[in-house]
Amino acid sequence: MSGPAHLIGMTAAAAVLSYAPAIASVDFDPSSQAAAQAYAHYTSGNAEAAVTSSLRAVEEDPSNLDYRLLLADSLTLAGRPSETLEVLVPLRDERDYRIQTRLAQAAWDSDEPELAAQAFLSAADLAEGPESRAYLSRAAVLSLLQANRREEAARVFDHAWAGQFLQGYDSLDTANVALAVGRDAQALWAFEDAQRYAALPGRAALDAGYAAQRLGLEDWATSYFSRALADWPADVGSEQRAQIQAFVQQQTYGS
């Protein structure tokens, strides 16, 4: 019984990109009325007005990077990722964390996973904090998987793991990414780290059980599967539950 752990892991791992790391606010010249208005509209959530004002600020001072970033942020707020890319792609070679994080998210939102992967990797290299580096490294792996570049995704994961970029930060996310690239041992490490702080939810426990089983760790698998049975994922069928129950019974009672 190998189970669909990689598929479950990949589904959960895709959710890692549903949030982005905090991005520093931009600076603007207080003498620029357009930039001031754009920033005010942006902070109040008035996206379209922010786009209009930030466009005017860029037209007034095309070389001002902060105004371009404000325009990119306004377009993102307005749900216009392809236009955000148009603003940011000319800056793609700049070693600037603010640019690369915005470019990565816009590329992901625009279904451009290869570009997203490049930008996430660049941003990870530039990240100052370990938590941001962990998030960006995971996101790069997922982007490569989305681009059907599985071998490269595995290499990026292995490099990040060897560099200690992933361990200890959002361990459930790290476990799911590890499963998605077929790294069961690393996934188990991350699951174990996660449950030091809270009991694993049913889906995570199920994934952990399959990973342990593939590694031949039957006692670990039994423990994880027992947890999964106590909190069974609603979208996993009864046939699979019966298989897990049979396995746990066999390991526990030998019959």
Side-chain angles (χ1 to χ4, degrees), residues 127-151:
E128 294 183 359
E131 189 169 2
S132 293
R133 185 178 295 111
Y135 163 79
L136 294 162
S137 298
R138 291 193 304 268
V141 173
L142 293 176
S143 297
L144 289 167
L145 288 171
Q146 187 68 21
N148 295 316
R149 291 163 61 179
R150 185 176 180 83
E151 291 185 4

Side-chain angles (χ1 to χ4, degrees), residues 99-209:
I99 294 171
Q100 296 299 333
T101 49
R102 287 167 165 85
L103 176 61
Q105 198 66 51
W108 176 264
D109 292 340
S110 300
D111 196 23
E112 297 282 353
E114 292 193 19
L115 177 57
Q118 294 170 8
F120 278 127
L121 284 173
S122 295
D125 286 340
L126 297 166
E128 294 183 359
E131 189 169 2
S132 293
R133 185 178 295 111
Y135 163 79
L136 294 162
S137 298
R138 291 193 304 268
V141 173
L142 293 176
S143 297
L144 289 167
L145 288 171
Q146 187 68 21
N148 295 316
R149 291 163 61 179
R150 185 176 180 83
E151 291 185 4
E152 187 174 352
R155 288 196 299 271
V156 169
F157 177 88
D158 291 343
H159 174 76
W161 187 268
Q164 300 286 308
F165 297 161
L166 299 173
Q167 292 90 324
Y169 301 99
D170 298 304
S171 292
L172 279 183
D173 287 341
T174 295
N176 284 316
V177 174
L179 288 180
V181 295
R183 299 297 188 260
D184 287 329
Q186 290 87 340
L188 275 189
W189 186 97
F191 281 128
E192 283 291 300
D193 187 60
Q195 71 174 0
R196 289 193 301 136
Y197 305 99
L200 294 180
R203 178 177 293 280
L206 184 62
D207 280 351

Side-chain angles (χ1 to χ4, degrees), residues 15-229:
V16 176
L17 294 183
S18 66
Y19 62 90
I23 299 174
S25 62
V26 299
D27 295 323
F28 62 90
D29 184 344
S31 67
S32 170
Q33 184 178 16
Q37 289 176 339
Y39 189 77
H41 288 311
Y42 178 83
T43 55
S44 66
N46 193 345
E48 294 300 336
V51 169
T52 299
S53 295
S54 57
L55 270 172
R56 193 164 68 251
V58 170
E59 290 169 356
E60 293 173 358
D61 189 357
S63 65
N64 190 308
L65 174 60
D66 288 299
Y67 294 174
R68 288 189 177 274
L69 296 179
L70 182 55
L71 173 58
D73 288 349
S74 299
L75 288 165
T76 297
L77 185 65
R80 295 156 63 176
S82 61
E83 293 173 72
T84 307
L85 274 186
E86 292 179 15
V87 173
L88 295 173
V89 163
L91 306 171
R92 63 187 298 176
D93 294 329
E94 297 289 332
R95 285 188 55 79
D96 187 308
Y97 180 79
R98 300 175 303 164
I99 294 171
Q100 296 299 333
T101 49
R102 287 167 165 85
L103 176 61
Q105 198 66 51
W108 176 264
D109 292 340
S110 300
D111 196 23
E112 297 282 353
E114 292 193 19
L115 177 57
Q118 294 170 8
F120 278 127
L121 284 173
S122 295
D125 286 340
L126 297 166
E128 294 183 359
E131 189 169 2
S132 293
R133 185 178 295 111
Y135 163 79
L136 294 162
S137 298
R138 291 193 304 268
V141 173
L142 293 176
S143 297
L144 289 167
L145 288 171
Q146 187 68 21
N148 295 316
R149 291 163 61 179
R150 185 176 180 83
E151 291 185 4
E152 187 174 352
R155 288 196 299 271
V156 169
F157 177 88
D158 291 343
H159 174 76
W161 187 268
Q164 300 286 308
F165 297 161
L166 299 173
Q167 292 90 324
Y169 301 99
D170 298 304
S171 292
L172 279 183
D173 287 341
T174 295
N176 284 316
V177 174
L179 288 180
V181 295
R183 299 297 188 260
D184 287 329
Q186 290 87 340
L188 275 189
W189 186 97
F191 281 128
E192 283 291 300
D193 187 60
Q195 71 174 0
R196 289 193 301 136
Y197 305 99
L200 294 180
R203 178 177 293 280
L206 184 62
D207 280 351
Y210 282 128
Q213 193 178 54
R214 287 190 294 271
L215 292 169
L217 301 172
E218 303 298 333
D219 289 345
W220 287 38
T222 300
S223 177
Y224 283 126
F225 283 149
S226 296
R227 168 60 190 160
L229 289 169

